[in-house]
Amino acid sequence: MERTSHLGTPALEKTSGWINGFIGVVIFSGSLPATRLAVLEFDPVFLTVIRATIAGALALCLLWLFRERRPARDQWLSLLIVALGVVVGFPMLTALALQYVTSAHSIVFVGLLPLATAIFGVLRGGERPRPVFWIFSVLGSSLVVGFAISQGLTASPTGDLLMLAAILACGLGYAEGAKLSRTLGGWQVICWALVLSLPVMAVLSVWLAPASFSGISLSAWVCLAYVSLFSMLIGFVFWYRGLAQGGIAAVGQLQLLQPFFGLALAATLLHEHVSMGMLVVTLGVILCVAGAKKFAR
């Protein structure tokens, strides 16, 4: 794998970037429904550490196979932030949240992920968006909070708070990873972040493993395989490659499609009820994030 593309023309490279980014978003869209099924039979903390262990072992093999150079000393702190955000923070917080809320409910919060990434991009990159950006930001956040409150007794404050924390952790991890990928390489960032967390995750996997796996269904094992291989590693390979080829700002907007794909999967695979309110709020959040992106510079 190389860090630069040799597709012949800038137009072809940008097209490849959009295709890779789209594939990455589709892969990520299945993460919450798969996690929702998996936590029905796996402890959420064990699910977090075992998926990171599986992906980390594969990442170590990839780095060895392609003989990638080690990161520079000043890059390890950024890799630690990426690991805490997307390897540990987001998977664990969403797994915990999905014990209290449905995947369809949680996917509404994912509509805030591009905005969270942009905000951390401002904080980490020193950008100064126009005032209109913050109007869209506050409006989008208000839509999500208003939706959560409107659910009344059927909603879970604990689940909602965990989902908000997960989005913040993931947004920080995405922003830090995007900045680091300019010098280290796209897929290399997620691989090194996984390898960095591998020793701790492997030990915790053994320590937290249940006494017996005999009662685990095939569907739970399939979901574990999906979140370990696709959500944790393969999705990032396509996603970061798309960002590198097509541009972070442009291809990053494909994340706005993720809530729609996620809601469709939740309804199709899990037979969860997707209300008109969920669709309206998700659409509203997507429009707000799109507006915020437009006025980010």
Side-chain angles (χ1 to χ4, degrees):
M1 296 184 185
E2 299 182 5
R3 291 179 176 79
T4 57
S5 175
H6 302 283
L7 296 176
T9 67
L12 286 175
E13 185 172 354
K14 288 183 178 180
T15 299
S16 177
W18 281 94
I19 293 173
N20 281 305
F22 182 82
I23 294 173
V25 168
V26 171
I27 290 173
F28 291 149
S29 299
S31 299
L32 289 178
T35 301
R36 171 67 173 173
L37 282 176
V39 296
L40 295 177
E41 301 183 44
F42 289 109
D43 175 80
V45 178
F46 172 73
L47 177 66
T48 300
V49 296
I50 191 62
R51 67 187 278 188
T53 299
I54 295 171
L58 181 56
L60 183 62
C61 293
L62 288 173
L63 291 170
W64 175 82
L65 179 64
F66 292 100
R67 301 187 181 185
E68 288 295 317
R69 61 178 175 83
R70 291 183 179 181
R73 182 178 300 179
D74 61 349
Q75 294 175 325
W76 285 107
L77 178 59
S78 290
L79 284 170
L80 179 61
I81 294 174
V82 174
L84 291 175
V86 303
V87 177
V88 179
F90 184 76
M92 181 174 294
L93 290 168
T94 52
L96 292 171
L98 288 168
Q99 293 183 115
Y100 301 94
V101 298
T102 66
S103 61
H105 182 90
S106 66
I107 285 167
V108 175
F109 288 85
V110 178
L112 288 174
L113 184 52
L115 183 56
T117 304
I119 291 174
F120 280 112
V122 169
L123 296 175
R124 296 293 298 170
E127 298 179 359
R128 295 293 181 267
R130 284 179 269 177
V132 179
F133 171 89
W134 300 113
I135 294 175
F136 280 108
S137 173
V138 173
L139 180 58
S141 299
S142 299
L143 281 173
V144 174
V145 172
F147 172 76
I149 294 175
S150 71
Q151 300 305 292
L153 296 177
T154 62
S156 168
T158 300
D160 290 342
L161 288 174
L162 286 168
M163 279 305 306
L164 286 174
I167 295 305
L168 291 175
C170 192
L172 176 59
Y174 276 177
E176 195 70 27
K179 185 179 75 170
L180 187 57
S181 66
R182 301 188 186 110
T183 55
L184 187 59
W187 69 271
Q188 292 88 342
V189 168
I190 188 60
C191 282
W192 281 114
L194 285 165
V195 169
L196 181 62
S197 63
L198 181 57
V200 175
M201 296 294 103
V203 171
L204 289 176
S205 295
V206 175
W207 184 36
L208 297 173
S212 174
F213 292 98
S214 60
I216 305 298
S217 67
L218 177 61
S219 62
W221 285 113
V222 171
C223 289
L224 172 59
Y226 185 90
V227 297
S228 301
L229 301 179
F230 289 90
S231 304
M232 212 68 170
L233 179 60
I234 297 175
F236 279 99
V237 172
F238 286 103
W239 180 240
Y240 280 126
R241 181 183 294 172
L243 293 177
Q245 293 176 334
I248 294 173
V251 177
Q253 295 184 35
L254 286 170
Q255 283 187 108
L256 304 179
L257 299 174
Q258 188 170 331
F260 285 124
F261 293 144
L263 288 172
L265 286 171
T268 304
L269 301 179
L270 304 182
H271 306 291
E272 292 183 356
H273 175 64
V274 179
S275 68
M276 183 58 66
M278 287 182 182
L279 293 175
V280 171
V281 171
T282 302
L283 177 60
V285 168
I286 288 174
L287 291 176
C288 288
V289 176
K293 283 286 188 180
K294 181 178 180 181
F295 294 100
R297 293 182 180 178

